[in-house]
């Protein structure tokens, strides 16, 4: 019978993967659609980023408290990519959505939102690759 720690790790892995895949997938979708629908998805994406970050932090503390070897270096690269992507989305997309709601230049702001989603989508793809290949390094 599994102990409580094993159950918590399984739950954390599931939440981490679901939140991260929603965040990355919706970011890439919004990049492809030119940012249309960002007003609806942006708060949900930031919540998914928060869940992915918190569960990832828990998993790191539970599973990687020892040394800092190649496995952890690749994971840290993925974490850095995710943090930069969250920063881009929070600053650029969040600011642009506020300006859109205030009646700003829609074409220019949509272009800015789409560019931010392209950049953050690429970073989240790198993050996903890092998380997957880390165990093989």
């Amino acid at each position: 019978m599994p102990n409580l720690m094993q159950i918590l790790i399984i739950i954390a892995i599931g939440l981490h993967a679901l939140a991260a895949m929603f965040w990355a997938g919706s970011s890439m979708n919004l990049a492809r659609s030119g940012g249309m629908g960002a007003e609806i998805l942006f708060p949900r994406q930031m919540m998914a980023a928060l869940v992915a970050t918190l569960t990832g932090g828990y998993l790191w503390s539970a599973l990687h408290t020892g040394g800092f070897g190649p496995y952890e270096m690749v994971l840290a690269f993925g974490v850095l990519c995710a943090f930069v992507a969250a920063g881009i989305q929070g600053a650029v997309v969040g600011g642009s959505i506020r300006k859109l709601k205030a009646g700003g230049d829609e074409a220019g702001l949509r272009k800015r939102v789409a560019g931010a989603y392209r950049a953050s989508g690429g970073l989240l793809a790198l993050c996903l690759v890092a998380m997957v290949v880390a165990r093989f390094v």
Side-chain angles (χ1 to χ4, degrees):
M1 174 145 189
N3 64 22
L4 180 61
M5 185 69 163
Q6 291 171 326
I7 293 169
L8 289 175
I9 288 174
I10 291 168
I11 291 170
I13 289 171
L15 288 173
H16 184 71
L18 287 172
M21 290 308 296
F22 170 76
W23 182 25
S26 62
S27 295
M28 291 175 199
N29 188 25
L30 286 166
R32 186 172 168 91
S33 71
M36 297 302 289
E39 298 91 342
I40 297 168
L41 282 177
F42 176 72
R44 292 161 179 83
Q45 287 182 305
M46 292 296 98
M47 186 57 69
L50 179 65
V51 170
T53 301
L54 292 176
T55 55
Y58 169 73
L59 289 168
W60 186 288
S61 69
L63 302 174
H64 300 281
T65 55
F68 194 75
Y71 186 81
E72 287 78 18
M73 287 181 198
V74 174
L75 287 178
F77 172 74
V79 170
L80 178 66
C81 289
F83 284 165
V84 172
I88 289 171
Q89 284 185 3
V92 178
V93 176
S96 296
I97 288 174
R98 280 189 293 279
K99 289 178 185 174
L100 276 170
K101 288 181 179 177
D105 172 35
E106 184 167 354
L109 289 170
R110 291 274 177 217
K111 195 172 188 176
R112 188 171 181 210
V113 167
Y117 274 123
R118 277 188 210 97
S120 62
L123 286 167
L124 291 171
L126 276 174
C127 177
L128 177 63
V129 168
M131 301 295 166
V132 170
V133 302
R135 80 177 326 165
F136 302 109
V137 176

